[in-house]
Amino acid sequence: MRKKILKTFLSLAIPLTMLTCSNGQQQCLDGPCYTPTPNEVDPNGGPSDLSRRAYSGTIPYIVMKNIRYRIHPEVSAIVEDLFGHMISNNISDPVNLDDPNSFSVRLHQGKLIMEGTQMNNLLKNFTLNYPEAPLKEIVHTISAGNRISLAGKIKQAGVYVSFEMRGSINATPDGLVKIDPDYIKTAGVPVKSLLDLFGLNTGKLITLDEKRGLKLDGNAIIIIPSNLFPAPAMNGRVVKVDTETDKLIMHFDDGTKYERPALPTDDPAIKNYEHIYGGAIRIAGNETHENTNVLTVDMNQNDLFDFMFIRYREQLMAGYVRVLNNDGALLTYMPDYNEISRRKDKKSVFNKIDEGLSNETLKLNPKSNPKTTKARDLASLPAGIQPGNNNGGNSNPWVKQ
C-alpha cells in the first residue's frame, strides 16, 4: 500500500476537482495557473473568496457508522448509524470543519447510544458545568424497560442536599426525550413531585438551562438532544427511546427519505467510517473540496472508530490517504483518538511502506460521483434551505474547545 502522511499529501496533491486556498502561491487547476489575490487568502479566518466560489448550491451529505463520537476526553456517544446534511450557518459558504460553531448537522435518520458513565460525564463537564447550576454530582442508572434512576445533589435554600429519583424515559410527540419520575426523595424524605423538589412551594422555583439540553415541563424533565452536545449542533427528531442495562438508545427520524450516497469503494471490510459526499467543505486549515467525496475509515475495524471532532486535524495527521480517482475522491485511513500520540509526527519506514498491500484490487464504485448526482442533490435540498440564504445562525451555546 502506498502510504503518505496526510499532512504532506495535503500540501502536494491537488486533484482536478479540489480548489486549494494556500498562502498566495500559484495553483494549477483544470486550466491556466491561478494566483489568489491577498484578499482571497485568510487562513486564520473564515472561508476565503476563492473558497466560497467552490460552493455550487448543493449541501454535503454525511454518513457515520459505528463511531465513538468523542466531544471531550471523558465524554462520548456511540453513533451506530447517522445520516444527514451538513449545513453551513451562512449557506453561501462551504461547510468549515475547522469551525464547529459555523455549521450544524440536520439529522435525517440515526441511532445514538449513551452509556451511563458517559451521561454522568456529560452532565459534569457540560450540561451542569456553570456557576448557578441547580444540580450537581448526578449519577445515572439505566435499566431495561425504559427505566432510569438519578441520584445527586440539588440546591435548596442556597444549600446542596442529596436527592434520588426513579422514573420512565421515552420519546415525546415533538421529538424530544422525557423523564417521568414516579419516585422522588430529598434528604431521605419522600417528595410528591418535581415541582416540590425544585422549590415551587417556596416561591423560588429553581430552573434548568434549556440551552444546555435540559428543562422542566410540569412534573417531567425534558432532554433536548440538539442542545446536549457542544458544536456542531446535531438537530434531529427522536422517534423512539429504548434502554438496556447502562445504555440509553435514541432513534432519530425526521420522516424524509433521501437516497444515501454510495461509498467510493466497494470494500466489504469497511464497517466503521465517516463519509462526506457532495457540496463543498473546507478542511485542514486551507483545503477546499468541491464535489466532495471523502471517506474516512477506521484503521482498526475490530472495534468502534474513536473519533474526536475538535482534534480531527491531529487524527488526520496521524493517518494516511489515497486518491481514488481523477475526480478527487479520497480514502483516508485514520487511527483512533487514543492512538494520536503514538502515530502523529512519526516518519514512515520507506522499505516497509508496501508491507500493508494485499493482492486484492481496490474496487471502486462508479455510482459514487458527486458530479453526476449534483442535479438530484440540488432537487432534494432539505426544506427551508436555499442557496444564498443565511441559515439563521447556530443557537447551540457551546464554544469551540
Side-chain angles (χ1 to χ4, degrees), residues 20-328:
T20 305
C21 309
S22 59
N23 297 326
Q25 299 177 357
Q26 286 192 335
Q27 304 300 336
C28 296
L29 305 177
D30 191 11
C33 285
Y34 176 78
T35 303
T37 59
N39 72 312
E40 292 180 322
V41 179
D42 184 14
N44 297 317
S48 66
D49 291 343
L50 178 61
S51 178
R52 287 190 176 97
R53 286 204 292 271
Y55 175 75
S56 61
T58 55
I59 296 172
Y61 291 97
I62 182 169
V63 178
M64 299 172 73
K65 284 281 192 180
N66 303 315
I67 291 179
R68 180 172 288 282
Y69 184 77
R70 194 176 292 275
I71 58 176
H72 180 275
E74 297 179 0
V75 184
S76 65
I78 297 172
V79 180
E80 188 171 300
D81 176 65
L82 180 151
F83 173 52
H85 277 94
M86 306 174 76
I87 301 175
S88 176
N89 291 341
N90 185 341
I91 204 64
S92 295
D93 289 348
V95 169
N96 185 4
L97 297 185
D98 292 313
D99 182 4
N101 291 292
S102 71
F103 72 97
S104 61
V105 175
R106 180 170 293 193
L107 190 55
H108 301 312
Q109 286 84 38
K111 182 179 178 181
L112 185 145
I113 301 170
M114 287 294 297
E115 299 153 304
T117 300
Q118 302 301 326
M119 291 179 66
N120 298 338
N121 291 340
L122 176 68
L123 292 178
K124 179 182 73 174
N125 289 286
F126 295 101
T127 312
L128 299 175
N129 187 16
Y130 58 99
E132 298 303 318
L135 304 174
K136 68 178 185 178
E137 300 177 19
I138 303 299
V139 176
H140 295 79
T141 302
I142 306 169
S143 307
N146 289 63
R147 298 291 297 175
I148 187 168
S149 301
L150 294 85
K153 294 183 178 180
I154 184 169
K155 197 172 187 178
Q156 292 184 336
V159 178
Y160 283 97
V161 298
S162 62
F163 82 96
E164 56 182 308
M165 175 191 310
R166 295 195 294 266
S168 61
I169 183 166
N170 292 283
T172 67
D174 55 351
L176 304 177
V177 178
K178 183 178 182 181
I179 299 175
D180 274 313
D182 49 40
Y183 172 89
I184 305 173
K185 267 189 178 182
T186 180
V189 178
V191 177
K192 292 181 179 180
S193 70
L194 276 180
L195 296 179
D196 293 329
L197 178 66
F198 278 81
L200 182 63
N201 292 340
T202 68
K204 297 181 180 180
L205 181 65
I206 297 173
T207 59
L208 296 168
D209 185 356
E210 64 181 83
K211 291 183 179 179
R212 293 173 178 262
L214 293 177
K215 69 176 182 178
L216 288 178
D217 183 17
N219 194 41
I221 295 177
I222 301 296
I223 300 174
I224 309 168
S226 61
N227 289 353
L228 271 181
F229 303 105
M234 292 195 180
N235 301 311
R237 182 184 181 87
V238 179
V239 294
K240 183 182 178 184
V241 170
D242 293 321
T243 60
E244 298 174 2
T245 301
D246 200 40
K247 290 182 180 180
L248 173 67
I249 306 165
M250 292 182 283
H251 302 264
F252 294 82
D253 194 333
D254 67 356
T256 60
K257 301 299 178 185
Y258 297 107
E259 183 178 345
R260 294 198 180 200
L263 299 184
T265 174
D266 286 329
D267 186 347
I270 296 176
K271 305 293 185 184
N272 312 337
Y273 63 85
E274 177 188 83
H275 185 209
I276 301 177
Y277 179 94
I281 65 170
R282 182 180 170 91
I283 189 172
N286 64 359
E287 292 288 326
T288 300
H289 291 235
E290 182 182 6
N291 296 317
T292 305
N293 198 358
V294 177
L295 177 62
T296 302
V297 173
D298 186 5
M299 294 178 73
N300 180 5
Q301 292 285 314
N302 295 320
D303 57 14
L304 292 170
F305 181 12
D306 195 339
F307 176 74
M308 188 169 181
F309 183 84
I310 60 175
R311 295 188 66 183
Y312 89 91
R313 282 203 208 183
E314 294 175 76
Q315 286 186 257
L316 279 174
M317 289 187 286
Y320 302 93
V321 71
R322 294 188 69 172
V323 183
L324 295 179
N325 55 32
N326 288 332
D327 291 316

Side-chain angles (χ1 to χ4, degrees), residues 379-396:
S380 63
L381 288 177
I385 301 300
Q386 297 297 328
N389 292 339
N390 189 286
N391 193 33
N394 190 341
S395 60
N396 189 289

Side-chain angles (χ1 to χ4, degrees), residues 297-299 305-306 315 318-319 333-337 339-340 343:
V297 173
D298 186 5
M299 294 178 73
F305 181 12
D306 195 339
Q315 286 186 257
Y333 297 92
M334 185 181 286
D336 287 334
Y337 163 76
E339 286 282 294
I340 293 176
R343 300 184 59 89

